[in-house]
Amino acid sequence: MLTTDRECRRGGERFAMPTLGEIEGKLIVSEVVAANCLRQLLAGPEAEPLSSIRRGIKQSLQKRCKKSGLCGEDTDAAMEYAFQLLDAAVEAVANQPKLDSNGRETVHQPDRVAAPPQ
């Protein structure tokens, strides 16, 4: 993202353009999150779908990051970003109005959002 105060930041934070590595990392995380959500959707109903999705994301990202030769710190950052992305998606879905049986809009609450697996 472009910001005007980047020139005052240290190191790589001062560059206004993301690196190819940052872009590739975000695409990998988006792909892993989407694939795990789709797998869960196609697998059918489950009592704790979000914790299952989180476990799948963690396992998939660990494999992808190891295959790419990323260090543990980068892997942890990728997982944190993936869980933030998932949480934002869950929140967005929870805030979408739905129609009740009387045709009135209601906001439904998401299933229990489980903490990230450790």
Side-chain angles (χ1 to χ4, degrees):
M1 177 186 340
L2 299 175
T3 61
T4 56
D5 67 337
R6 284 195 182 247
E7 294 82 285
C8 299
R9 295 185 182 175
R10 297 181 189 188
E13 293 179 338
R14 72 174 181 265
F15 300 117
M17 298 289 287
T19 65
L20 287 176
E22 290 172 326
I23 294 169
E24 182 180 15
K26 288 185 178 188
L27 287 173
I28 288 171
V29 166
S30 297
E31 177 187 333
V32 167
V33 170
N36 279 279
C37 289
L38 183 58
R39 259 188 233 108
Q40 183 64 37
L41 178 67
L42 296 176
E46 186 179 310
E48 296 286 337
L50 286 176
S51 51
S52 177
I53 290 170
R54 286 180 181 278
R55 277 191 308 277
I57 288 170
K58 182 178 180 181
Q59 291 170 354
S60 297
L61 275 177
Q62 285 175 333
K63 288 177 189 173
R64 293 283 292 266
C65 290
K66 185 176 181 178
K67 182 179 176 184
S68 298
L70 295 177
C71 67
E73 189 176 298
D74 288 343
T75 301
D76 291 343
M79 279 192 279
E80 181 180 337
Y81 176 70
F83 293 142
Q84 289 173 357
L85 184 63
L86 179 63
D87 291 342
V90 168
E91 185 177 327
V93 168
N95 291 330
Q96 287 181 347
K98 290 233 172 198
L99 297 179
D100 65 9
S101 59
N102 296 327
R104 295 177 293 192
E105 285 189 354
T106 62
V107 176
H108 68 281
Q109 297 299 319
D111 295 336
R112 289 174 270 151
V113 177
Q118 299 296 327

